[in-house]
Amino acid sequence: MKKPITTLALSRRQFLLGSGGLAIGVAFGLPALTASRKAQAQAAGLAPNQWVSIATDGTVTILSPAAEMGQGTMTAMPLCLAEDLDADWSKVRVVQSGHNPKLFGNKLFNGIMATGASRTTRGYYELLRLAGAQTRLILVNAAAEKWGVPSAEVTTENGVAMHKASNRSMGYGEIAGFATVPATLPAVTPAMLRKPADFKLIGRNVARIDLADKTRGAARYGIDMRLDGMLHGAVLRPPVQKDKVASVDDSGAKAVKGFIKTVPLPWGVGVLADSTWAARKARDALKVTWANEAPAKNYDSAAVGRDYVAAAADLDLSKAGVEVEKHGSAPQNIKSAARVLKADFIAEHTAHMCLEPMNATARFADDKLEIWSPTQSPSIATFASAAVLKIPPANITVHNTLLGGGFGRRVDADFTLDAALLARAADGKPVKVTWTREDDVRNDKFRPLVGQHLEVGLDANNNIVGWHHRFAGESIYARANPGAFKAAGGKDAPFHEGAEFLYDIKDHLIEFARQERGIDVGFWRAVGGGYAKHAVETMIDEVAALAKADPVEFRLRLLAKHPRAQAVIREVAQMADWNRKRPAGRALGIAYSDMWETHIAEVVEVSLNRKTGAITVHKVWAAFDTGVAVLPQNCVTQVEGGIVYGLSGALKEQVTFKGGVPQQSNFHDYPVLRMNEVPPIEVKILVTDNPPGGVGECGLPPVAPAIANAVAKLTGKRLRHLPFNPARVKAALTA
Amino acid sequence: MQLNINGKTVEADAAPDTPLLWVLRDTLGMTGTKFGCGMAQCGACTVHVNGTPARSCVTPVSALAGKKITTIEGLSANGDHPLQKAWVAEGVPQCGYCQSGQIMTAAALLKKTPKPTRKQIVDAMAGNICRCGTYNQIVRAIERAATAKA
C-alpha cells in the first residue's frame, strides 16, 4: 500500500539557499557562486527547489519526472505542482527532468526513475503538490515582508499574490525578482493542501500540452534524434535468443555503399553506416554462423504451454513453487468441500508492438557516455550501460525523449545498450540504432507464456470455502529485477499480480511455480493482470452460474465491504442495461478489476459465429473509480486505450515459437486491432476524493474475462486459452 | 536526384532504391513522417504522392521523379488544417507516433469524400494502426473536421 508522506522535510541541502539577500537560482549541488553569478541567477528568478523555477517575467518552469509515452504525464504531474502553487497555467513551461534519482526518483520504485506499473501519479501526486504549496508559501512570505503586512493577510490567485486590505498585488514573476529562499523553510503538510472541492486545475480537464506538436509531425521521439556527424547502426541478433556468434563473414556488408564498420557485440553483430538504410542493408548482408548453443533452442510454445499447465496443476509444492500469498487454509477446505471446481488456463506469449520501433542514440567520448533514449527508465538504462561498458554511472547522462508507445517494453535497456556499445566503436561520433519491426517483434521481451490452475471449493450452499490459484511460467523479475526476485524469496510480483482480490473469500492461496526455459519475458501492459484476472473473473462467473446467481449480484455480494467496487459494478450494469434481454445470438459478460488502486468494471456484448469460431464484440461499457483524476478526460481515454489493447490481446495476439524461433515478425502475421474492428466503447469515470490510482493499465484486465463470460452465457463453454482466436474458440465449442 | 516536396524542389543524394521515408527522415531531416513497419502494414509513414496516400516506407525515391509529395509538415501552413485542429479539439493523440500517418490518410479521405459516413471513415482508415487505441477519438475528429465550417 501507498504510504502517505506526512510532511515535506526538504532540507537546506535540497532546497536552495538564499544568502546576502540574493536567491541562488541554480541547480542542486553546485558550489557557492561568485557575486556576479549570484546577480545573474537573481535576474533569472527564483528556483526554490528541484521541481520549479519562477522567472522574473512570470514564466513558471516545472520539471516532469516521468517518461511521456502517451499517458499524459508531462501535463498531469506539473499540473499537480501548479495546483498548490496557485500558478497561472498559461505561464507554465514543462521541461523533462534530467536523470537524477536523488532529486526526481519515484518512491514507489525505491527511488529510481522509472515509468510503469501505473505508479507515476501514485508516486508523485502528493510530493509535487507539497512542493507547489511550499513554493507558494515562500512567495507569499516574501510579498508580505515587502508590503510589511502579516503573511496571513496575503492571498494568491492564478499566479498573483494579493493584499486585499491595501489593494496591492504582485505577480509571481515580480516576487521572484527579489524573493529569497529562507534558511528555514515553511513547513507544509498534506492537511494544508487544497481540498478537492477547491481545485482549480486538477480534475478540470486542462488540455494536454503535447497535442498540437503531435498533429504536426513536430513531436520528437527517440527515433527522430539527429546530431552533427551522427552515424547509423543496425544489429543482427541470433534467431534463437542468447545464441552465440560462431563466425562472421562481412564481405557482403562491406560492399554496401555507406558501410563504415562491423562491430562484434556480446549479443550479436552490429554495423555502422552513414544512413539508416545503408546500416540495414549492410546488416542484412552479414553472413553469421551461430554456435547453436541457445538454452531455448528446443523451445516450442505449444508443447511448453502444455508443460506449464501440468506444472500449475501439480499441487505438490515440494516439486515446484513458492507460496505467494496465503490467507486461511484453502487446500484443507477444498479437500473437505462439498464440491470442487477446477480449471486450467493458458496465455500465449504476446508482443508489445510499440508503434515506434526500439531505438536509441548515444555518444561515447573520454569515458563518458551520453544517451538519448525513448526509455521508460533512465535509471535502468544508466545502470545497464555502466555494467556493460564498465564505466561509473556518474559518467553517464541519459536524456529521456518522447516515447512512441511503451506498454512496458521500454523498461528494458537492450535497445539502449545497442546504441551505447556501437557508440563506443564510433570514435566519438554519435550513433543512432534503429531496429526494424522484425527486430522489434523477434527480440521483444514477450509477455510470459503462462499456465494457471484454479481449484475452488464450495460448501453445500455454493459458498466459496477455499480458492487455490497456481501459476507456472518463466519469471519476469528473475531476469529484469533479480534483486527484488531474490529479496522476495522467489515471488515474482508482476508475474502473478491480479491474483489477489477484494472478494470476501477468506481462504485464499496463491502459488508460483517458476519455469526456466531461457526465454526473456517482460512487462506487457497490465502484466499479470492480463491473464490472472482472466482466470479469477471467469471462475467467479462459473461459481455464480452454478449457484444460479446473477453475475452482477454475485459480485456485489462478495464485495459488500467495498462500496467503491460495488459502485463501479452497479454503474456499468446500468450503462449496459444489464437486465435487458438481448437479441438471439447476443450476450453480455461482466468482469471487475481492483488493480493499481483503481476499481473498474466492464461489460461487453458479443456474438459468435459458431462455424468459424469468430467472436464479434459489439460494444464495451466501462465504469471506473480511480479517486482524484488529475485529467479526467485523459483518464477516460487511457482506460479506453487499455480496453482496445485488451481486446486486441484477447482476440488476436500471440507469438508462437518453434525451435526457439519466434514465428511472427511484423503486423501481417502479428495482427493487432484496427479501426474497422473496434466496437463502440463507452467509458464513465466516477470521481471520488480518494488518492489517485493508476489508469494506464486498468482498462485491460477485465476485457478477456468479460468476453469469455459472455461466450459462456451463449454457449455454456468456458474460454480458458488466450487469445480467443477463431480456431481456438471452435476447438472449445466442440470440446 | 530532384524531388518535389511540399511545393519545393529539393536535391536528395540517395541510392535510387532508398525508400522515400528514409530520404525524408535521414537525408532531408523531415522527421514528422514515421517509420513503423517497413512493409506498408501500419500506415505511420503515410504521405501524399500527387494527392493520393502512399506508404513512403515501400516507395523507392526512383519512382518519384516529377511527382508532388506532401508530408505532414506540408499539410498546412501553420498546423491549422481542419483535421489538425479537430485532432487537438478531440484530444486524439496519446503517444502520438501514428498520428502523422492517420492525419495524412484522413486528409486524403476528406479531399475525395468531404462528408464521409462512419463506415467510409473506418474503411479508409483501416490501414493505419494506432497501438494506443485512439481509434474512436480519430473517428470523432474526422467527423468534426468534416462538419467544421470552412
Side-chain angles (χ1 to χ4, degrees):
Chain A
M1 284 300 290
K2 193 171 77 153
K3 234 188 188 164
I5 302 173
T6 49
T7 181
L8 184 70
L10 293 181
S11 69
R12 284 175 57 98
R13 233 165 63 77
Q14 286 168 294
F15 238 65
L16 293 162
L17 316 180
S19 73
L22 289 169
I24 306 174
V26 293
F28 166 75
L30 290 186
L33 298 184
T34 63
S36 69
R37 284 195 58 205
K38 278 180 188 171
Q40 249 180 355
Q42 182 62 59
L46 183 75
N49 61 52
Q50 68 268 38
W51 295 106
V52 60
S53 62
I54 300 163
T56 50
D57 69 354
T59 302
V60 176
T61 301
I62 305 177
L63 271 66
S64 177
E68 177 58 70
M69 48 192 178
Q71 80 282 41
T73 192
M74 270 193 99
T75 307
M77 289 306 92
L79 195 82
C80 293
L81 190 149
E83 175 73 60
D84 286 276
L85 174 57
D86 211 355
D88 176 352
W89 182 250
S90 71
K91 290 184 177 160
V92 169
R93 194 172 64 99
V94 174
V95 173
Q96 182 78 43
S97 78
H99 177 239
N100 189 334
K102 277 197 185 114
L103 295 184
F104 304 113
N106 186 338
K107 62 176 177 167
L108 297 184
F109 285 116
N110 293 323
I112 71 160
M113 293 180 72
T115 306
S118 297
R119 289 186 197 174
T120 302
T121 305
R122 292 188 289 154
Y124 290 105
Y125 173 75
E126 193 170 66
L127 174 71
L128 288 172
R129 292 192 58 200
L130 287 167
Q134 195 168 51
T135 304
R136 179 183 163 277
L137 277 181
I138 292 169
L139 292 164
V140 162
N141 292 344
E145 198 181 319
K146 187 86 165 176
W147 287 328
V149 301
S151 291
E153 291 179 12
V154 176
T155 58
T156 59
E157 195 176 331
N158 209 29
V160 177
M162 288 167 293
H163 185 245
K164 286 195 176 130
S166 62
N167 201 23
R168 282 179 288 186
S169 69
M170 255 190 294
Y172 284 0
E174 193 182 340
I175 302 173
F178 64 81
T180 62
V181 179
T184 307
L185 296 163
V188 283
T189 66
M192 296 161 68
L193 299 176
R194 204 173 257 170
K195 300 292 172 283
D198 303 322
F199 285 155
K200 295 177 183 171
L201 297 171
I202 292 173
R204 297 289 176 262
N205 281 323
V206 169
R208 282 176 54 160
I209 61 167
D210 52 347
L211 296 180
D213 277 356
K214 287 178 174 178
T215 66
R216 297 168 186 179
R220 293 280 171 266
Y221 302 83
I223 203 169
D224 300 326
M225 275 305 299
R226 292 172 66 79
L227 294 167
D228 284 344
M230 185 173 79
L231 306 181
H232 295 262
V235 174
L236 181 67
R237 284 179 159 76
V240 183
Q241 54 181 265
K242 303 186 193 74
D243 206 350
K244 298 286 176 214
V245 173
S247 68
V248 181
D249 170 3
D250 62 358
S251 53
K254 284 176 174 156
V256 172
K257 188 167 174 266
F259 168 87
I260 294 168
K261 69 153 93 162
T262 304
V263 183
L265 298 173
W267 45 82
V269 184
V271 297
L272 288 173
D274 65 2
S275 72
T276 311
W277 190 244
R280 184 162 306 175
K281 283 205 290 188
R283 192 275 303 264
D284 291 348
L286 290 172
K287 288 200 183 89
V288 174
T289 312
W290 304 97
N292 196 26
E293 288 169 1
K297 66 182 177 184
N298 298 315
Y299 190 85
D300 178 336
S301 52
V304 172
R306 290 191 289 273
D307 291 352
Y308 285 6
V309 163
D314 186 340
L315 304 185
D316 184 354
L317 254 191
S318 69
K319 282 195 219 154
V322 294
E323 215 168 68
V324 173
E325 289 285 341
K326 186 183 177 186
H327 312 285
S329 44
Q332 295 86 329
N333 293 4
I334 291 168
K335 262 191 199 117
S336 59
R339 182 164 194 169
V340 178
L341 293 180
K342 296 182 184 183
D344 294 319
F345 299 83
I346 301 181
E348 299 287 336
H349 286 296
T350 52
H352 295 80
M353 311 301 272
C354 302
L355 211 59
E356 178 198 18
M358 297 304 110
N359 68 85
T361 303
R363 177 164 48 205
F364 185 84
D366 304 326
D367 248 19
K368 289 200 167 56
L369 179 69
E370 194 170 8
I371 293 169
W372 295 262
S373 180
T375 175
Q376 284 178 242
S377 178
S379 294
I380 293 173
T382 298
F383 306 147
S385 300
V388 169
L389 268 66
K390 299 189 172 57
I391 57 172
N395 286 15
I396 299 171
T397 307
V398 181
H399 308 278
N400 214 154
T401 68
L402 288 178
L403 283 62
F407 314 120
R409 174 63 181 88
R410 289 184 150 109
V411 173
D412 270 285
D414 48 346
F415 52 95
T416 303
L417 293 177
D418 280 358
L421 277 190
L422 287 184
R424 190 173 60 177
D427 300 323
K429 288 185 178 148
V431 175
K432 175 163 72 178
V433 177
T434 306
W435 288 21
T436 62
R437 175 58 61 191
E438 290 77 11
D439 295 334
D440 184 280
V441 175
R442 291 176 181 142
N443 301 289
D444 200 357
K445 303 298 181 191
F446 307 94
R447 184 178 74 179
L449 173 58
V450 180
Q452 295 178 81
H453 179 76
L454 260 185
E455 290 197 9
V456 175
L458 306 174
D459 69 12
N461 299 316
N462 291 319
N463 296 308
I464 298 168
V465 296
W467 184 288
H468 189 174
H469 192 166
R470 272 177 63 84
F471 292 83
E474 195 95 45
S475 169
I476 299 171
Y477 258 11
R479 175 190 69 80
N481 195 348
F485 182 74
K486 212 174 156 195
K491 296 182 195 178
D492 188 1
F495 185 101
H496 39 65
E497 68 176 339
E500 275 286 327
F501 47 55
L502 296 178
Y503 293 124
D504 193 8
I505 296 168
K506 292 182 181 63
D507 297 278
H508 190 184
L509 176 63
I510 303 165
E511 292 166 339
F512 171 54
R514 180 188 174 192
Q515 309 293 306
E516 293 179 75
R517 305 288 183 110
I519 292 289
D520 284 358
V521 294
F523 311 93
W524 194 83
R525 195 174 192 173
V527 202
Y531 43 84
K533 288 297 187 205
H534 170 219
V536 169
E537 287 295 306
T538 52
M539 182 54 86
I540 288 285
D541 240 59
E542 206 170 332
V543 177
L546 200 73
K548 298 198 173 16
D550 176 80
V552 168
E553 293 301 323
F554 190 73
R555 284 178 173 80
L556 290 175
R557 274 209 298 280
L558 284 172
L559 292 163
K561 293 174 190 155
H562 300 281
R564 294 176 69 193
Q566 291 189 316
V568 297
I569 291 172
R570 287 202 179 98
E571 184 65 38
V572 82
Q574 193 171 2
M575 288 165 73
D577 201 359
W578 175 258
N579 290 318
R580 177 166 59 83
K581 201 171 153 31
R582 262 41 188 195
R586 296 269 187 110
L588 301 183
I590 186 170
Y592 160 77
S593 164
D594 49 16
M595 302 181 72
W596 309 288
E597 299 175 61
T598 294
H599 300 267
I600 182 164
E602 295 174 13
V603 171
V604 299
E605 181 168 344
V606 310
S607 66
L608 176 67
N609 182 328
R610 287 170 195 257
K611 275 194 199 119
T612 62
I615 294 171
T616 302
V617 177
H618 297 276
K619 174 116 193 208
V620 182
W621 297 266
F624 71 106
D625 169 4
T626 190
V628 168
V630 179
L631 303 170
Q633 186 53 35
N634 186 62
C635 292
V636 166
T637 48
Q638 281 300 296
V639 168
E640 180 165 336
I643 290 170
V644 172
Y645 208 92
L647 285 167
S648 189
L651 297 174
K652 302 168 91 92
E653 296 183 30
Q654 61 178 344
V655 176
T656 54
F657 286 75
K658 281 182 186 153
V661 180
Q663 299 297 295
Q664 290 74 27
S665 62
N666 205 318
F667 289 107
H668 67 292
D669 54 10
Y670 188 95
V672 300
L673 217 61
R674 291 176 180 272
M675 192 184 284
N676 56 355
E677 300 168 302
V678 174
I681 299 171
E682 204 179 296
V683 180
K684 188 164 179 186
I685 181 168
L686 309 181
V687 175
T688 60
D689 288 352
N690 294 287
V695 294
E697 304 178 274
C698 69
L700 192 145
V703 174
I707 293 171
N709 291 339
V711 170
K713 205 146 137 196
L714 276 178
T715 66
K717 302 285 185 184
R718 297 277 161 193
L719 299 180
R720 294 184 177 133
H721 191 155
L722 279 166
F724 312 143
N725 61 27
R728 201 162 281 137
V729 172
K730 233 175 124 177
L733 291 178
T734 54
Chain B
M1 67 177 296
Q2 284 195 338
L3 293 170
N4 184 312
I5 301 174
N6 298 333
K8 286 186 198 135
T9 301
V10 296
E11 197 66 43
D13 176 24
D17 71 333
T18 312
L20 170 64
L21 173 67
W22 298 110
V23 173
L24 290 172
R25 292 180 53 82
D26 281 1
T27 316
L28 303 172
M30 299 170 70
T31 54
T33 305
K34 301 303 187 198
F35 166 57
C37 69
M39 58 184 295
Q41 289 289 310
C42 77
C45 69
T46 304
V47 299
H48 297 171
V49 176
N50 289 345
T52 304
R55 303 298 193 227
S56 64
C57 73
V58 292
T59 308
V61 279
S62 56
L64 293 167
K67 298 196 173 154
K68 287 188 172 161
I69 299 157
T70 308
T71 70
I72 186 71
E73 291 93 344
L75 181 66
S76 63
N78 303 302
D80 55 358
H81 186 282
L83 283 165
Q84 289 168 314
K85 289 199 278 188
W87 244 246
V88 172
E90 292 290 342
V92 174
Q94 289 189 20
C95 91
Y97 191 79
C98 72
Q99 303 295 352
S100 296
Q102 302 277 6
I103 289 171
M104 294 307 285
T105 303
L109 166 70
L110 290 192
K111 217 169 194 179
K112 211 170 126 198
T113 315
K115 304 279 173 201
T117 62
R118 186 185 169 92
K119 183 165 186 324
Q120 284 173 319
I121 292 173
V122 162
D123 288 346
M125 302 300 295
N128 288 74
I129 290 171
C130 170
R131 190 58 165 154
C132 297
T134 67
Y135 294 121
N136 286 332
Q137 286 77 48
I138 290 173
V139 174
R140 276 202 286 282
I142 295 173
E143 287 170 346
R144 175 188 279 258
T147 53
K149 303 266 186 309

